Every structure is written in structure tokens, then in C-alpha cells.
């Protein structure tokens, strides 16, 4: 597994693919992103090996859970990886940016390699990455990097009072272009969810946002989505001693937590999965091995 490179993959979104039936293997630690009603998934770990596949689910079409229309885009030379992160970008939102390729090299500053971080996209197309887990604990930094997906350049942000170098968190870009960081782990301790780091891109400052209501258990490797109703939904993850199957809702108007109810849970206790919002549906993909 490579920790030391970043890459970009370019898509022209008017393509047509015709594939034979493809069923991806089970995995955890994969990355996902929704672009033009296509849910792209990359890499992960199948319990034995790191995976080097890349595929998508066309969610613009009707389908049943018994026959998911997966489309394989795997190509020769793609890197196997786990705990990568993906964001869309570019002037037409037709770029998918991964965390481990080597095509983006401008000779200037760029982040050290890392995994287990969550990228967050601004309205101007820039993408922020913060901290994460690196191969050598002595190299861990609480650094915030901004990638300009139009110019394809990195810049290091030096906003004061940055939080600790945690990993396994979820980053959510709020409507006012602030980034809320939820959960994660710092040297073996899950961070509490009653005080959340917030990066304000307008004032270029970090602050802590205190929440109210019943507080969810701290966790890492969970999922989080922002709904059109200005609510953040978190699901699953790994708590202090085991995987979780609970669902929580954070109202970003009041920053109050409330417990969600899953009407047909079917034993859904997951970590290492992903979740993406498609219209009014949260699509949870894959799970622990």
C-alpha cells in the first residue's frame, strides 16, 4: 500500500459504457464519491488483500437490491489501497480526486502521504484535507492542505489553533463554506462528539462547536452525510471496543443531537463502510469483513 502520493483522474461525463455483468467483492476501507448520479467506488480491503478495482453504480436508473447495475472501470496500473478519500472537482465537476495517485505533481509543496482522512469540498472547487494517519507516527501533523482543482496546485493553510492530528473522522462542508469535523481517533482514543472542530474558510480560523442533546458514543471509521434539510446523519463506525449500528442526527440549525430510528435494522452493525446521499436516500456501501 502506498502512503506517499496523490493523484487525479479525469472523467468526461457524457461517456457510455457497455459491460458484462460485474459483481464487486465485499470490502471495507474503500472510498466513494457521487458524480453526475454515478456512485464511484475505489479500492478497499477484502479481508486478505488490498484491492485495486474501480467501479460505479448508476443511480439515475431504476434498479433492485437483487440486481445492482455495477459497471467496472478497473484499468491496468491502478494502485491498491485502503482508507483513501475521494472528492469531485474541476470547473465542470468532472474530476475525481483520489488520495494516492501520482499524476498531480507541480514541483511545489504538497502533503505528505496519509490515509484515514476525509476530504471536504468548497463551493469554489477547492478541496481541503486535514491530518489523517501516516505510516510513521513521528511524522503525524495537524496540517490543513487546500487543493485547487482548477489550477491543480496544493497550498498549506496556516490557520491558528488547529485541532489534534486525528484520523478516521468525517468532514462535512456546511452551506456557509465552513467545514465541520466529526469523530475520529487520536492515539487510540475516540474523540467525544459534544465538541466538534470547525474550520471557517472566510476568517481562516479554527474554533470548537459545542453540541447539545444526548451525545453519541465517540467513534471512527463511520459515515456522515449532510441532507438538504440541514441535518447531518452519522451511522455506524467503531466505538471503544466494538462496531456500532446506531444512527444519529445533528441539526445544524441548533447543533443538537438526536437518536435516529432504523425501522428495519436487519443487524446492520458496520464500520469501514461509506454513505452517500442520493436525493432523499442515503446509500450505504459495503461494510466490515
Amino acid at each position: 500500500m502506498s502512503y506517499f502520493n496523490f493523484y487525479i483522474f479525469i472523467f468526461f461525463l457524457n461517456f457510455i459504457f457497455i459491460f458484462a455483468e460485474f459483481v464487486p467483492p465485499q470490502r471495507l476501507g474503500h472510498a466513494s464519491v457521487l458524480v453526475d448520479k454515478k456512485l464511484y467506488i475505489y479500492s478497499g480491503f477484502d479481508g486478505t488483500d488490498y484491492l485495486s478495482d474501480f467501479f460505479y453504480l448508476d443511480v439515475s436508473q431504476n434498479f433492485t437490491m437483487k440486481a445492482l447495475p455495477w459497471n467496472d472501470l478497473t484499468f491496468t496500473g491502478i494502485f491498491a489501497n485502503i482508507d483513501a478519500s475521494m472528492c469531485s472537482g474541476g470547473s465542470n465537476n468532472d474530476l475525481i480526486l483520489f488520495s494516492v495517485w501520482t499524476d498531480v505533481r507541480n514541483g511545489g509543496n504538497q502533503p505528505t502521504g496519509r490515509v484515514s482522512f476525509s476530504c471536504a469540498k468548497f463551493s469554489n472547487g477547492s478541496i481541503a484535507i486535514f491530518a489523517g494517519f501516516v505510516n510513521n507516527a513521528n511524522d503525524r501533523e495537524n496540517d490543513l492542505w487546500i487543493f485547487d482543482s482548477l489550477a491543480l496546485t496544493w497550498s498549506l493553510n496556516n490557520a491558528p489553533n488547529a485541532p489534534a492530528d486525528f484520523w478516521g473522522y468525517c468532514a462535512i462542508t456546511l452551506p456557509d463554506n465552513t467545514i465541520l469535523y466529526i469523530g475520529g481517533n487520536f492515539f487510540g482514543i475516540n474523540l467525544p462528539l459534544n465538541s466538534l472542530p470547525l474550520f471557517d474558510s472566510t476568517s481562516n480560523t479554527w474554533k470548537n462547536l459545542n453540541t447539545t442533546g444526548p451525545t453519541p458514543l465517540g467513534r471512527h471509521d463511520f459515515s456522515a452525510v449532510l441532507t438538504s434539510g440541514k441535518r447531518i446523519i452519522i451511522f455506524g463506525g467503531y466505538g471503544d471496543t466494538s462496531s456500532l449500528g446506531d444512527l444519529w442526527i445533528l441539526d445544524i440549525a441548533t447543533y443538537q443531537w438526536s437518536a435516529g430510528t432504523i425501522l428495519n435494522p436487519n443487524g446492520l452493525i458496520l464500520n469501514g463502510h461509506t454513505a452517500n446521499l442520493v436525493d432523499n436516500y442515503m446509500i450505504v456501501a459495503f461494510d466490515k469483513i
Side-chain angles (χ1 to χ4, degrees):
M1 176 174 57
S2 173
Y3 289 95
F4 300 100
N5 297 304
F6 288 79
Y7 69 86
I8 183 172
F9 198 79
I10 301 176
F11 281 89
F12 299 97
L13 297 176
N14 59 350
F15 51 65
I16 297 176
F17 289 104
I18 300 176
F19 294 100
E21 183 177 355
F22 166 70
V23 179
Q26 185 179 4
R27 68 196 60 219
L28 59 73
H30 54 286
S32 69
V33 66
L34 182 70
V35 180
D36 193 36
K37 289 297 181 76
K38 294 180 175 65
L39 178 58
Y40 293 93
I41 293 178
Y42 161 65
S43 190
F45 181 66
D46 67 1
T48 304
D49 297 311
Y50 298 122
L51 301 173
S52 58
D53 52 359
F54 181 48
F55 51 93
Y56 75 89
L57 176 68
D58 189 345
V59 295
S60 68
Q61 303 176 358
N62 294 328
F63 57 86
T64 68
M65 296 305 294
K66 293 183 179 180
L68 296 176
W70 295 111
N71 296 274
D72 189 12
L73 299 177
T74 305
F75 56 92
T76 302
I78 192 170
F79 289 92
N81 201 0
I82 186 174
D83 293 336
S85 185
M86 292 199 297
C87 275
S88 62
S91 58
N92 297 314
N93 203 42
D94 56 358
L95 307 181
I96 296 179
L97 296 108
F98 300 66
S99 62
V100 291
W101 206 307
T102 56
D103 292 342
V104 179
R105 288 183 177 272
N106 56 28
N109 292 334
Q110 59 185 5
T112 55
R114 63 198 69 196
V115 295
S116 293
F117 64 92
S118 176
C119 62
K121 180 182 174 182
F122 295 111
S123 59
N124 65 1
S126 295
I127 294 169
I129 69 169
F130 175 74
F133 188 87
V134 300
N135 202 21
N136 185 346
N138 294 326
D139 294 333
R140 294 172 67 171
E141 298 181 54
N142 59 340
D143 52 351
L144 177 69
W145 287 84
I146 307 295
F147 182 73
D148 185 331
S149 68
L150 303 180
L152 305 185
T153 56
W154 287 104
S155 61
L156 177 63
N157 182 280
N158 293 312
N161 303 316
D165 51 324
F166 52 88
W167 56 270
Y169 60 86
C170 286
I172 297 290
T173 304
L174 301 179
D176 61 358
N177 260 358
T178 58
I179 303 175
L180 187 65
Y181 291 84
I182 306 172
N185 190 282
F186 176 68
F187 280 97
I189 299 174
N190 286 326
L191 301 180
L193 300 186
N194 59 355
S195 181
L196 307 176
L198 182 80
F199 174 69
D200 188 329
S201 60
T202 302
S203 62
N204 194 40
T205 57
W206 286 94
K207 60 187 73 173
N208 286 326
L209 190 150
N210 295 321
T211 65
T212 61
T215 305
L217 184 69
R219 65 197 64 204
H220 61 85
D221 294 328
F222 59 103
S223 63
V225 299
L226 175 65
T227 74
S228 58
K230 296 184 178 180
R231 298 181 300 166
I232 296 173
I233 300 175
I234 71 169
F235 173 67
Y238 197 88
D240 294 333
T241 59
S242 62
S243 299
L244 303 170
D246 53 348
L247 184 147
W248 289 83
I249 300 167
L250 180 64
D251 187 330
I252 63 171
T254 61
Y255 290 103
Q256 181 173 353
W257 286 107
S258 60
T261 300
I262 303 175
L263 298 180
N264 55 339
N266 295 323
L268 286 177
I269 299 175
L270 307 179
N271 73 79
H273 60 286
T274 58
N276 297 86
L277 194 69
V278 180
D279 297 328
N280 291 323
Y281 295 90
M282 185 175 75
I283 296 182
V284 177
F286 302 98
D287 60 6
K288 67 181 186 301
I289 304 302

